[in-house]
Amino acid sequence: MSAGVRSTARIAARGDGRGGTALPALEGEGSLAVRRTRAAHADEARVMLVGAMSGPLGGDRFTVEARADEGARLHIGSVAATLALPGQAKGEAHYNVRLTVADGARLDWLPEQLISAHGSDLRVTTRAELAPGARLVLREEQVLGRVGEEPGRLTSRLTVHRAGRPLLDQELACGPGAPGGWDGPAVLAGHRALGQLVVVRPEFETDRPAAAVLDERGTAALTPLAGPAVLVTAVAPDALLLRRTLDAALLRLAD
C-alpha cells in the first residue's frame, strides 16, 4: 500500500428536544478539521470542513463520516474547494464520504468544488444510507484541471440507498487513463465542470417533479429516480456557471 496521510472527520447530529440540533460528535484528525458555524435556520446545525493541509495528494486517504439522527437538521459545507494534487507518494488517493440519515432527519451535503489538478489521481466515493422518512440534499461538483491546465485522473462514484434499496448508483471516470469517450459528445462534450444534485424527500412519493431540461443550452437535466428522489446533472465550461445552474435547480426544488 502506498504511503500517505490518513485523515478522518466524524460528525453526529441529533434533535436536542427543544426544536434545535445538537452535535454529540464533532471531530477531525489529520488534514481534516471541522467547525460549527452560525446556522441559517433555528433548528439546524451547520458544520464546515476545513482542510488543514494541501491535498489529497497521491496515496492519501481522506474520510468523512456524518450521521443525522431523528429530529436533526444537519448542514455540512466546506470553507474552500478541495484540490487533488500529485504527491511524492505513488498511487491513487481516496476521498470517501459516508452519510447516514434517520427517519425524521435531514442532511444537506453541500461542499465546495473538487478540482482535479494535472498529474493527480483521485478516487472519490460518496455513499448515502437513508431511512424511509429521511431527507437529503446532496451536491457534488468536479472541475477538471485549473485554468489552462489538463486534468488529472478522477474517478467518482455516487450511491444513494433508501430503506436498504438503491435509489442511485453511478460512476464516472475522467482524465488520463480513463475509458475512451469521457470527453466526447455523449459525456462531457468538451466541458470541464460537471455536477450532480440529489434531492430525496418523502413528499416526492406522491408529488415528484417531472423530467425536464433545465437550461436553454441543454447542459442540465432533472431526472426522477425510482423512489421519492430526483437527480439533477449538469456540465458547464467553468465552476462559476456550474454553481449557478445547480443553485437554480436547488431553488426550483426547495421546500
Side-chain angles (χ1 to χ4, degrees), residues 46-217:
R46 181 166 294 213
V47 175
M48 302 299 285
L49 295 169
V50 182
M53 295 184 288
S54 297
L57 309 178
D60 289 354
R61 186 176 292 270
F62 290 6
T63 302
V64 177
E65 300 173 353
R67 179 181 185 89
D69 290 326
E70 184 175 357
R73 180 171 178 173
L74 175 61
H75 178 117
I76 303 174
S78 60
V79 299
T82 297
L83 180 61
L85 294 164
Q88 292 183 346
K90 300 297 183 182
E92 190 177 52
H94 293 259
Y95 197 131
N96 301 312
V97 178
R98 301 289 180 264
L99 309 174
T100 305
V101 191
D103 279 318
R106 170 172 172 163
L107 194 154
D108 291 8
W109 172 254
L110 299 169
E112 295 302 307
Q113 298 93 349
L114 188 153
I115 302 171
S116 175
H118 180 66
S120 64
D121 187 358
L122 177 65
R123 178 177 291 272
V124 181
T125 304
T126 303
R127 183 180 179 92
E129 296 282 353
L130 312 178
R135 296 171 179 268
L136 175 71
V137 176
L138 183 153
R139 183 188 68 213
E140 289 191 339
E141 299 168 302
Q142 294 96 25
V143 180
L144 304 181
R146 292 168 289 192
V147 176
E149 176 185 65
E150 290 299 310
R153 171 70 182 267
L154 175 64
T155 304
S156 176
R157 184 175 182 185
L158 170 62
T159 59
V160 181
H161 287 75
R162 175 178 177 268
R165 294 189 173 186
L167 280 178
L168 176 67
D169 191 338
Q170 67 175 26
E171 181 171 302
L172 179 66
C174 304
W182 65 270
D183 200 24
V187 187
L188 297 184
H191 294 94
R192 283 295 179 265
L194 59 148
Q196 300 78 230
L197 175 68
V198 181
V199 178
V200 183
R201 190 176 302 152
E203 291 84 352
F204 285 168
E205 290 276 18
T206 56
D207 186 19
R208 184 170 46 189
V213 176
L214 300 181
D215 66 349
E216 66 278 2
R217 302 179 305 276

Side-chain angles (χ1 to χ4, degrees), residues 233-247:
T233 55
V235 296
D238 56 56
L240 180 60
L241 185 55
L242 177 68
R243 175 62 61 85
R244 287 175 178 169
T245 300
L246 294 179
D247 280 351

Side-chain angles (χ1 to χ4, degrees), residues 23-38:
L23 295 173
L26 185 64
E27 57 188 45
E29 59 185 30
S31 298
L32 293 175
V34 287
R35 301 287 185 269
R36 184 167 189 169
T37 62
R38 184 183 299 274

